[in-house]
Amino acid sequence: MHMKLAEMNRETLEAFQASCQQAYAAFQAANLKLDMSRGKPSPEQLDLTEGMLTCLADDDYRAADGLDCRNYGCLDGLPEAKTFFAPMLGVSPDELIVCGNSSLNIMYWTMSLAMTNGVLGSKPWGKYDKVKVLCPVPGYDRHFAVSEFLGMELVNVPMLADGPDMDMVERLVAEDETIKAIWCVPMYSNPGGVVYSDAVVKRFAALRPKAADFRIFWDNAYCVHHLTDNPPVQANLLEEAKKAGNEDICYLFASTSKITFPGSGVAMIAASEKNIQSLKKALSYATIGFDKLNQLRHLRFFGGKFENLTEHMKKHKALIAPKFEIVTHTLEKELGALGIANWSEPVGGYFISFNQKGCAKRIVQLCKEAGVVLTGAGASFPYGVDPEDENIRISPTFPTEAELQKAMDVFVCSAKLAAAEQALA
Amino acid sequence: MHMKLAEMNRETLEAFQASCQQAYAAFQAANLKLDMSRGKPSPEQLDLTEGMLTCLADDDYRAADGLDCRNYGCLDGLPEAKTFFAPMLGVSPDELIVCGNSSLNIMYWTMSLAMTNGVLGSKPWGKYDKVKVLCPVPGYDRHFAVSEFLGMELVNVPMLADGPDMDMVERLVAEDETIKAIWCVPMYSNPGGVVYSDAVVKRFAALRPKAADFRIFWDNAYCVHHLTDNPPVQANLLEEAKKAGNEDICYLFASTSKITFPGSGVAMIAASEKNIQSLKKALSYATIGFDKLNQLRHLRFFGGKFENLTEHMKKHKALIAPKFEIVTHTLEKELGALGIANWSEPVGGYFISFNQKGCAKRIVQLCKEAGVVLTGAGASFPYGVDPEDENIRISPTFPTEAELQKAMDVFVCSAKLAAAEQALA
């Protein structure tokens, strides 16, 4: 069938729907049970980190300076862990705090801290009647959820091909003092896979918000998670912000959750030295220190050399790039000619963003009823409301290639069926 | 010299002071460098946990139900970790969340959460103009600091021999709606070593505060840290609160920081099922999960049997009880007859509380100038203000016995010198 759905007459459409229904019934009969709901590494990816669980010996617990990593102390991370991880966010070791196992937790903490204590001595955000956060959409549901939970109002900003709509961002932050933050995943955005252009990064760096306590939450979760051999090189936000005399405007985050172990990785936050000093002071109330032995494990596993980490990422790529291809290939083959949908073809990150106007909920429901669990429709939008009911986040990494192919067969069948239903309604 | 200082005439006092000064000068000349500032286990204690760093193998990463502990998931702790740790706080596994490496962090989070989101749907504490917390004194400086940092007002409550002054606690919480919390270390209080009596525990359990969102922060940090073979058995707060139909009033905390590794232990929070459900919901915004591999390490190291943990604590006792004896023996021998000071003789925990009216700051200063760092005078009180300038927290666990003896020699000399200065002033 090489005809656009929009060009089909009613009779053709009905035949098309019937054939979709038949295929769908066969999938239902197969009793599939596949989960593509979250961006989760596969067991094979975790096996790449073989050796991490055993790389410390009973007498290997000292940092380079002799510090006993088993004991209390060293609030902001081992010095050599800072040196090791600094290149990941492109900052100097002094601009980095190496934390525990969860960057989401550090983001939550940083935003919660702004609510209780403000930033750099400002009035606590929680003391305002209304505080807003800008949410480029589609975006990461957990980011939006953190802000909503903490009582902030979520404001949609469209994501364009080179990053968030900066005309809108600049206008909004300049005129509305209640806007205190924006969430960004600058490289391989979740779910769109968008790589913010250098121009966008520089406009972020030069932002002059009405609220002096405005912060960019720059979640560089996928900064080393490339799907190509020649990954894009992106301008560094903190560096650009310094050039603009604006270095206190941003917090940068990353973690090894999708490099080593998602449950037992190492998270980090980077910022200007002034911000870092303030965060360290606040941190001294919140903990005595993070798990230094796990930082040491990471140092040992990678031999303390960052290039070993980037080499390690190539092994991840070898495992997951074929899965991304299964998704895009199946979408192109089955939906390409119909003209009903579009999707991203990311060169990094963990997701493929799929759009089919007015059909997202129905597709997710159809998939679910055929045993394929997807991220809920609307999840990529504040309050779970996708205004066009069009976006679905596809997470191809966890299933095996065979499972993924099956799941995508169900997906494209569901997409076609939903389109036919819509056209005939 | 077997004479009370108060009974000395001026001539005797001057001779006493001169001999103290001479001894003190000798200590200064010795260029000591000893740190007794924090309750920190010694390296020998950490060696007791030998095997923990190597007890997981590359193919040993699954929980009992097959869960891959390397990956995301399992927000509230491994089921078998809950079962294993539940006896520590005397609760059921359903009343427990097994967390990351820091109970202080979970206490901070719980209180910060009350500030941003209230408790069980109440108005966020941060939305009030004034919120107060009761602080039994002397107490743990980091508890008080958390509340002060979050903007709460700290209210002193005297610690008696069997726990906080409950008459005052009951009166204050009944009449003042702005009092939202109290900090407690119920067994081997920090620094006094006080074991709250069952009567006190029951009065806590039956509290009827004016503020419905009042919470008891029950930090059972030393619940298995005994210094005797027949440790006291204490009524369980959550159990008693249930009997009183008051089970939502408390949060219980503990950790393995002083059981296994201070930097890489496992922390936990227990509470009523209603509180736990609410905390789990809140936690789902703050993290995807804690480090399950480290929970697994603890399970493997202790063979999954809680009695192995309590046996393990006897090895700690064997190492630290002699240190407590050095402190109390030296104090008794050198200061006992003078009648200038009193001190605790705890049967558990990590501290000895020393009191000498009007002399705490001077003693800490004298010790420091002779190379012995103590916890700052006043640290055990809100805002660092000890109204009587009398209390010093002695932390005997970290130094070797020889170092500790030297440090205590400096300490008693400084105490005598301060007393003589005071008497002659």
Side-chain angles (χ1 to χ4, degrees), chain B residues 222-368:
Chain B
Y222 308 108
C223 53
V224 294
H225 302 65
H226 312 300
L227 291 167
T228 68
D229 291 329
N230 295 300
V233 178
Q234 189 176 55
N236 185 282
L237 178 64
L238 184 57
E239 202 177 305
E240 295 299 328
K242 279 185 213 169
K243 286 185 204 162
N246 208 18
E247 65 265 27
D248 296 333
I249 203 171
C250 55
Y251 297 135
L252 283 51
F253 305 91
S255 83
T256 69
S257 292
K258 293 184 178 86
I259 300 173
T260 59
F261 295 141
S264 306
V266 169
M268 62 210 80
I269 176 169
S272 70
E273 288 195 36
K274 202 164 150 193
N275 274 326
I276 289 291
Q277 285 311 317
S278 174
L279 289 170
K280 267 197 234 178
K281 175 75 186 158
L283 197 58
S284 74
Y285 297 99
T287 184
I288 302 179
F290 297 106
D291 185 341
K292 298 180 294 298
L293 289 171
N294 205 37
Q295 295 179 10
L296 209 56
R297 262 181 215 106
H298 279 70
L299 289 162
R300 297 289 183 265
F301 181 76
F302 290 116
K305 293 197 177 108
F306 190 71
E307 58 262 38
N308 290 343
L309 185 151
T310 53
E311 278 305 304
H312 182 77
M313 293 314 293
K314 293 182 184 166
K315 299 181 196 168
H316 281 285
K317 170 181 165 285
L319 288 172
I320 70 175
K323 296 182 179 178
F324 278 78
E325 263 166 51
I326 287 172
V327 173
T328 52
H329 178 78
T330 307
L331 291 172
E332 180 55 40
K333 180 164 162 260
E334 297 294 326
L335 304 181
L338 290 168
I340 55 174
N342 63 67
W343 52 87
S344 60
E345 300 197 5
V347 293
Y350 258 64
F351 305 102
I352 287 157
S353 184
F354 175 90
N355 290 296
Q356 185 172 329
K357 268 206 173 39
C359 293
K361 276 189 194 154
R362 180 63 179 148
I363 295 171
V364 170
Q365 181 199 12
L366 283 166
C367 283
K368 188 179 171 189

Side-chain angles (χ1 to χ4, degrees), chain A residues 171-214:
Chain A
R171 183 171 50 74
L172 287 172
V173 304
E175 70 189 17
D176 187 348
E177 202 172 358
T178 69
I179 296 175
K180 299 290 188 191
I182 184 169
W183 285 109
C184 294
V185 180
M187 194 166 208
Y188 314 131
S189 72
N190 175 351
V194 172
V195 179
Y196 292 16
S197 71
D198 286 357
V200 165
V201 173
K202 287 174 188 177
R203 286 174 78 176
F204 268 116
L207 272 188
R208 297 291 171 189
K210 194 161 182 194
D213 52 353
F214 176 91

Side-chain angles (χ1 to χ4, degrees), chain A residues 219-239:
Chain A
D219 181 5
N220 223 331
Y222 308 106
C223 53
V224 293
H225 303 64
H226 312 301
L227 290 168
T228 67
D229 292 328
N230 295 299
V233 177
Q234 188 175 55
N236 185 282
L237 178 65
L238 184 57
E239 203 177 305

Side-chain angles (χ1 to χ4, degrees), chain A residues 35 38 40-44 323 395-400 403, chain B residues 71:
Chain A
D35 191 333
R38 306 299 312 179
K40 205 170 158 179
S42 66
E44 293 70 32
K323 295 183 180 179
S395 311
T397 54
F398 188 77
T400 63
E403 287 168 342
Chain B
N71 220 325

Side-chain angles (χ1 to χ4, degrees), chain A residues 240-308:
Chain A
E240 296 299 328
K242 281 185 210 169
K243 287 185 203 161
N246 207 18
E247 65 264 29
D248 296 333
I249 202 170
C250 55
Y251 298 136
L252 282 50
F253 305 91
S255 83
T256 70
S257 291
K258 293 185 179 84
I259 299 172
T260 60
F261 295 142
S264 305
V266 170
M268 62 210 79
I269 175 171
S272 71
E273 288 195 36
K274 201 164 152 195
N275 275 326
I276 287 292
Q277 286 309 318
S278 174
L279 289 170
K280 270 198 231 179
K281 174 76 184 156
L283 196 58
S284 74
Y285 298 99
T287 185
I288 302 177
F290 296 106
D291 185 340
K292 299 181 292 299
L293 289 172
N294 205 38
Q295 295 179 11
L296 209 55
R297 262 182 216 105
H298 279 71
L299 289 161
R300 297 288 183 267
F301 180 77
F302 290 115
K305 293 197 176 108
F306 190 72
E307 58 263 36
N308 290 342

